Amino acid sequence: MTVASHVDGRWHCLNCYPTPTRRCVSCGKDKKIAVVIMSGPHCFACHNRVLRNPASCPGCDQVRILAFLDDTAEAVCAVCAGQPARYACRRCGGEEHYYGRLCGRCTLEDRCTELLAGPDGTLSEPMRALRDHLLARPRPAQIIKWLRHGPHIDLLGEIASGRTPLIAVSFVQTHGGKGLDYLHALLVDAGAIPRDRANTDLLEAWTARTIGDAPAGHRRVLTTYTRWVLLRRAQQGCGTGDITPGAANHVKAATRGLIAFLTWLDEHDTPLDAVTQGRVEQFLAVRSAQRWLPQFLGWAQERGVAPRLEVPALVPGLPNITASERDHEQTIATLVRDDTIPVDVRLPCLLIAVYGFTAARILTLQHAHLHDTGDAVDLHVGDRPLRLPEPLTDLARTQLARHPDAGPQDWLFPGRQPGRPRHPLYLTGQLRMLGTSISALQKTARFRLAGAVPAKVLADMLDFNVTMFETYARLAGANRGDYPALRSHQSEQFPIE
């Protein structure tokens, strides 16, 4: 091994040589120095910060890495400072996405060509659409990292080579993980997979694979019930023709539950056509199944594959208001004033805390649902526009400005997966740090509104079922669901105190 130096009486190789530290002029800390630029030495973290934040050069008005000083000690690009363009891409000359000898955009283009080309070196139409979509995304370095390895990359290579067809079944694998879900969403967003039945086809493929792993004696019953009851019911009311994520989650939960129920019957040597009321109650004692088991047993009894049984349906009780008025007001004040909380957390949480919306409803808002009139911002959810109060107006404008190129049908709160909105779990984690939850904010808001405004007015303005607000009104002791006078006020407001 090559000896590099002699330090403190000991010889050190290149790997073990203790790199001396110096004071970084950017952060002011004693660290290992990466490079000397601008006014002095920079540590690795500060150097990376400069590389990842190119800006418009005041000398040439081009987006460059401003790592040099001109005669007036102003940060400029290398060309304007009379220095070699060390950060420029060797191919295109750009510095907007620094990645090494080649910029991130050119590196990504090479990686896409290598991965997505077929045996003859050409790109099929779906793969060309995917490549163009990836090259148009704003952070190529993240995409390059995602394209390195994993089950999704193996599948993408097989699809590009023609060994695996581009159908929903290909994305349903036992050990695929979330990478395959992300790849499927990416292909849909790129237009490589038709959007109109993407979720439906993927759900049908998932149910077929899941039922295929079930006990052989129950596969026929499960397939028939899933196809003609669960999937058909999930498709009802879908204006786009595709199954919504919420409906898909219910189908998956019911399918898993039914497999568990039938497997449990096999373990207790009880066939489905001989199951007793006692067996069903014994199963319900160890697992909650009121959401899907009554419908299945009723369907099975009508077709003569199970005896007549009774399963108590899940009857919703009165809402449990767990947050006090003081705690609720404190949470609202924190969300309004705390700028350290991301805007895409503050705005949806305030809409929940003030109007009682569900998280799924808020997170699936599109840009077309918000209309900035100049003087105020209107939220279009009910039978007439809902004018937002001042704190919400500022946050709504900030959120709209974060995505200036978004179209009217784009998500107001885009999620991590392409073409999908934020998941409610994102808000759940943020609210947990504030000592509250989505459910607590939602129920307290509805309780406050139902005690002050007639249920029918609330239902029309917020596009809720009137029965829900009547339930909260009874709980608040202010049941005025049939009172029509306030319906003439077109500018009804719910102010934030």
Side-chain angles (χ1 to χ4, degrees):
M1 184 173 293
T2 303
V3 175
S5 65
H6 189 264
V7 180
D8 296 334
R10 301 177 60 184
W11 291 100
H12 294 77
C13 66
L14 292 174
N15 293 331
C16 300
Y17 172 68
T19 305
T21 61
R22 295 171 62 186
R23 179 66 57 87
C24 175
V25 297
S26 181
C27 64
K29 298 179 181 180
D30 291 335
K31 292 184 176 182
K32 296 179 180 180
I33 299 303
V35 68
V36 177
I37 54 176
M38 290 191 284
S39 59
H42 282 63
C43 65
F44 285 90
C46 295
H47 182 223
N48 288 334
R49 190 181 306 114
V50 173
L51 298 181
R52 294 173 181 174
N53 293 277
S56 178
C57 176
C60 61
D61 201 27
Q62 300 292 323
V63 177
R64 302 291 184 185
I65 294 176
L66 307 184
F68 305 89
L69 299 178
D70 60 6
D71 296 337
T72 62
E74 185 177 13
V76 294
C77 67
V79 175
C80 294
Q83 299 292 330
R86 69 167 79 171
Y87 299 117
C89 175
R90 299 299 187 268
R91 180 182 299 171
C92 67
E95 299 182 12
E96 188 173 355
H97 304 285
Y98 179 78
Y99 196 75
R101 291 181 59 84
L102 296 180
C103 67
R105 193 77 69 193
C106 292
T107 304
L108 178 60
E109 184 177 2
D110 291 346
R111 178 58 178 151
C112 288
T113 302
E114 174 189 358
L115 179 63
L116 304 181
D120 57 353
T122 61
L123 296 176
S124 62
E125 287 299 327
M127 295 300 100
R128 183 177 291 106
L130 177 60
R131 182 201 61 181
D132 295 342
H133 183 74
L134 292 177
L135 292 177
R137 294 176 72 85
R139 297 181 179 88
Q142 295 182 356
I143 303 175
I144 295 171
K145 182 178 179 180
W146 182 75
L147 289 176
R148 286 177 181 172
H149 55 78
H152 56 287
I153 300 303
D154 298 336
L155 176 61
L156 190 58
E158 293 179 359
I159 293 175
S161 63
R163 295 190 299 269
T164 300
L166 184 58
I167 56 178
V169 178
S170 303
F171 297 88
V172 181
Q173 299 180 10
T174 305
H175 304 291
K178 295 182 179 180
L180 296 189
D181 294 337
Y182 186 90
L183 176 60
H184 183 268
L186 187 64
L187 288 167
V188 173
D189 198 39
I193 295 179
R195 189 183 296 271
D196 54 352
R197 277 186 53 89
N199 292 336
T200 302
D201 294 340
L202 192 64
L203 182 61
E204 291 177 350
W206 181 90
T207 55
R209 182 189 65 80
T210 304
I211 293 174
D213 297 334
H218 300 300
R219 292 174 188 170
R220 182 176 180 181
V221 172
L222 288 169
T223 300
T224 305
Y225 180 75
T226 302
R227 178 181 301 171
W228 299 108
V229 179
L230 292 180
L231 290 174
R232 175 173 289 187
R233 187 177 300 167
Q235 291 175 323
Q236 292 177 353
C238 296
T240 60
D242 201 8
I243 292 179
T244 62
N249 291 335
H250 173 72
V251 172
K252 291 181 178 180
T255 303
R256 293 191 189 102
L258 290 174
I259 293 175
F261 173 66
L262 296 175
T263 303
W264 184 86
L265 291 181
D266 290 344
E267 294 173 352
H268 290 76
D269 299 325
T270 304
L272 181 59
D273 56 2
V275 65
T276 62
Q277 186 70 34
R279 284 296 188 197
V280 173
E281 294 177 357
Q282 186 179 358
F283 178 78
L284 293 176
V286 297
R287 178 160 182 166
S288 177
Q290 283 87 352
R291 293 185 182 275
W292 44 265
L293 188 56
Q295 293 83 357
F296 172 73
L297 291 179
W299 173 87
Q301 186 269 329
E302 291 177 357
R303 281 149 185 79
V305 296
R308 184 176 183 83
L309 300 169
E310 294 183 2
V311 178
L314 187 63
V315 180
L318 290 176
N320 183 21
I321 311 299
T322 58
S324 65
E325 188 80 9
R326 179 180 178 182
D327 293 340
H328 193 73
E329 290 290 343
Q330 184 177 358
T331 301
I332 291 178
T334 301
L335 292 171
V336 169
R337 300 166 186 165
D338 194 347
D339 294 334
T340 63
I341 304 176
V343 176
D344 61 350
V345 174
R346 296 166 64 192
L347 179 58
C349 288
L350 281 171
L351 290 173
I352 296 172
V354 176
Y355 300 109
F357 289 114
T358 63
R361 178 66 181 279
I362 293 301
L363 294 178
T364 54
L365 289 176
Q366 299 172 339
H367 279 254
H369 289 106
L370 282 182
H371 178 61
D372 190 354
T373 61
D375 298 330
V377 175
D378 294 336
L379 176 63
H380 295 262
V381 291
D383 61 351
R384 57 181 179 267
L386 180 65
R387 180 146 296 182
L388 299 180
E390 189 62 31
L392 288 178
T393 297
D394 297 338
L395 291 175
R397 285 172 174 160
T398 302
Q399 181 64 23
L400 289 172
R402 294 180 63 192
H403 307 282
D405 299 330
Q409 304 304 317
D410 290 336
W411 301 117
L412 183 61
F413 305 102
R416 299 183 63 180
Q417 288 199 353
R420 297 183 184 178
R422 277 284 188 186
H423 196 278
L425 289 178
Y426 174 67
L427 301 183
T428 300
Q430 298 288 335
L431 289 175
R432 188 180 295 115
M433 294 186 290
L434 299 180
T436 185
S437 64
I438 294 176
S439 177
L441 293 181
Q442 181 186 93
K443 292 178 181 178
T444 306
R446 294 175 180 178
F447 179 78
R448 298 174 67 189
L449 292 174
V453 184
K456 183 60 178 175
V457 176
L458 291 172
D460 290 345
M461 293 193 66
L462 304 179
D463 196 24
F464 279 110
N465 191 311
V466 67
T467 305
M468 184 270 293
F469 271 119
E470 288 176 349
T471 301
Y472 278 92
R474 288 193 297 270
L475 187 64
N479 187 10
R480 300 177 296 169
D482 296 330
Y483 183 70
L486 292 179
R487 298 197 64 195
S488 61
H489 295 274
Q490 299 295 323
S491 60
E492 185 73 39
Q493 299 296 306
F494 305 127
I496 300 178
E497 299 179 359

